[in-house]
Amino acid sequence: MGARAGGLYVGRRAAALGAALLLALLAVLLVLAVLYGRCRQEAAPPRPSPTNPGPAVPSEPAPAAGSGRRLPRHLLPLHYDLELWPQVRPGQAGPFVFRGQVNITVLCRQDTDTAVLHSAGLRSCGAAAVRGPLPETGDAVEVARLRQEAADEVAVLELRGRLRAGSRYVLQLGFQGQLEEDLDGLFLTRYTDEERSSMLIASQLEPTYARSVYPCFDEPAMKSTFNIRIVHDPSYVALSNMPAIDLSEMKDENGSLWTVTTFNTSLKMSTYLTAFVICDFDYVTRTERGHEIRIWARKEAIRNGYVDYALNITSQIFSFLEDILNVSYPLPKTDLVALPEFGAGGMENWGLLTFQESSLMYLPNDKFTSRKTMIALIVSHELGHQACEKSIPETFFFLYKWFGNLVTMNWWNDLWLKEGLVSYFEYLGATFVEPKLSLDKIFYDHVVQSVLREDNEMVRSLSVSEDKIKETFSIMSLFDSITYNKGASITWMLSGFLTEKLFIRALTSYLKEFSFSNANQDDLWTHIQMVVDAQDEVQLPASVKQIMDSWTCQNGFPVLTVNLTTGTIRQEQVFNKKNRKSTDAYNNTWIIPVSWMRNGSSQPLMWLDNSSKVFPEMAVLESEYDWILLNVNLSGYYRVNYDQLNLKRLAHLLENDPKAIPTVSRFQLIDDAFALTQFGYIQIETALELTKYLAREDELPIWNMVLFNLIPENLESTLKNYEVYPLLKKYLSKRMLPIYNYYVGFIRQNIDALEDDYFAQVYLEKLLETACWLGLQDCLDLSSELYTKWMDNPEYKIPFLIKRTACCYGVAVGSDKEWNFAWEMYNHTDSTEEDKDILLFAMSCAKESWLLHRYLQYGLSDTLFSSNCTSTIILNVLTKDIGHRIAWEFVMENWPLLSERYGQELLHDVLKVMGRFVHTDAQIQELQVFYNATLEEEERETTTLLLEFNKFENTERRKLLTKAASWLEKNVDD
């Protein structure tokens, strides 16, 4: 399941590695997805079969309510016959229910008088039955009682007889559930298509929602084949994992006609991958090398060609896999469905991939690549989960076995091995279909940088003990940036220090031994170790298991503190030195691959395998031109804290020859410095020294990172209240001019030339917004010029890349005339939702207080705005430098009405923003007077603590900004 864009930095060398690297990556992607068990866990025993049901063990009782235990292993599901009947007719108001029948063929692995399976929120319909032992279908084991245990989400069939080990039985259960609009399980969605209201039914079963749709063995290792049948209204089409093989009709007890769609038998798969869609969509289709690909969407979206791009790249990615690995997809069809509402970006259901509508739709007249890139990333991610199979050469024989059998993880504690690796692979697929994308830059900018900011000592490790991951909430919490992005980073580091050649060899050895069986993580480490031991090219400082366990079984990541006068490198876990003493720090150590460069030349890989180590070859000479760079192009998952001597030389190098340091390493060097400032490792002055060269920096991702650190988005309105602002304005404006003028030239003359500049699509707006915020006159004039053109001719289109900034500052430098035009266009019937959002923001940019007062009053009107806009208007005004007092007074004056509409949620959001302006006890007391009269006692205490924390943060920020101002005053004219 793709929750967000993910991946990992890869150096430019990846482009030259060709098929060997791609083979390694795809192998990693699927090899590790099956691994189960935490680090140091022992391998599982051999899988039982009908002739070998497994060792005799004492009968395990059914889980008690609230125990959160896994299902007992008495029964192994083999096959499901499933019928689903959502009782929905077009135009009905609801509420809606669905009914169904499931017959599950199971293998009994040990004698038992209970059958325990998952069931959540379902009611039993009719009597449950147990038939068998097979093949005697007439025999039965009487069910004494069917007991639902809601806390554990299980149904327990208590039997009057015993099921015998080695025999097969069929569990028969009828069920009924409520069809909700909550985007989990089997859900209903309402939408508009061709100006009429419609409904559809879809499913999202990962991780543990299959049990809310049908009784089942809802654990990823308990895989089965499925025969699925869906009963639905004749005006709808039904889709599932496999192709439909039969359409028939049936009448209900009232004589009403329903259509029955029967699907072919599936391959063996986990319950969370079963999928169902019932809709009134159209589709576009393409046959790629005998494989049918269909994309389903709203009829108007199909008619307008909005999914044509997704169809094109889907077929390209399938061909890409075939050409590189000589493999083909095992299913006869693949459906991709664009859902108007969906909780994830996409879901990899086998043969029926579901996506949020915006993840698949690209408007043909949108010339810019940012949306195309997002679509390519998400589609590539979900296709990366699909398995392939074909008669292939001996070289790929064991990969064929792996792809063909699609062995998945045993439990959710290994989720990172599935999603993290696919998050890496999605970037390879995206850059294949969009070759103008820069793989290394987009990886570091989108993935590695963000997860390094989030990963700290308080965050869990990648490998989580199995006993902690049992309840649904705990499982859902694993779908985060640690799973997706850190998992990808660690895997790339592994393949990097092994070399791709050895990595492929190790995977081949591993697959030879474990094809068609289960394995655990230590088995993979063992096979990698065997390959390493059999050659002399790559030497490791410790066993593969020791190295990898240090990265997967510990929280956080290390920072390397470097003294290059002596060549000493010391490691410690990154933590906030401002909040804790160093003696409180964790004693975690990692076995760290240290790539490095001296004076522009790459050097042999080093290993830091102790808390501290001296590397004599890294000691710098007295010459100021002798410099060292560690973690070149971020080949390892850590930050680097250089000593002052080397930092001074690197800063000097940046000023004289910035391209001597690779782009990603420049990005990393500066980002590390600001991050380490935040955590108290270095002073802000040290980080600022690395920004002197920026007039020579032409990479938008680096500029965006610098602006993110110097002018955080949520502090733009408050920074103007500090003495640092005029100094920062002068310092940044001078350095920003070259890159600003470069891109503004395109805006004024030929913006279409930026069509293939992905980072311009993503970050150009931030550059211009900052330039206008700093008061750069040309930026203000440009915004006014573009906005005036629009006012003079409403058919004129402000370039969408900068429309938000142009509208905001067009209103800001104008008068009520400009504001009134924004109001008029907001109410224009042809305005899109994106345009409305931009204008809703732009109207809060007015500099005249009476306009802001009027805007807030408009927000109270039910006839002028929908009710959900009022809070957006208040928060937009609240974040402006002249608007926060106006908005706060408005909230206090109108709280009875606002409270009735929005309750406490709006007040909490307002207090979060107001907290940025809290510096004194008097200001806290002013806020307390209001919320003491509006909040419950417990909420008052929490809010007071929050404001006290805001005051502390703001005081610390003032100290930091005072230091920054002092440095800027000395260097502003350099």
Side-chain angles (χ1 to χ4, degrees), residues 476-495:
M476 287 302 298
S477 70
L478 294 178
F479 288 83
D480 61 5
S481 65
I482 298 299
T483 288
Y484 287 79
N485 296 342
K486 184 175 180 177
S489 304
I490 299 306
T491 304
W492 173 248
M493 184 172 63
L494 167 65
S495 64

Side-chain angles (χ1 to χ4, degrees), residues 506 509-510 513-514 522-531:
S509 170
Y510 175 80
E513 180 165 344
F514 292 102
D522 282 353
D523 295 322
L524 180 59
W525 304 157
T526 298
H527 280 263
I528 294 175
Q529 190 67 57
M530 289 166 52
V531 169

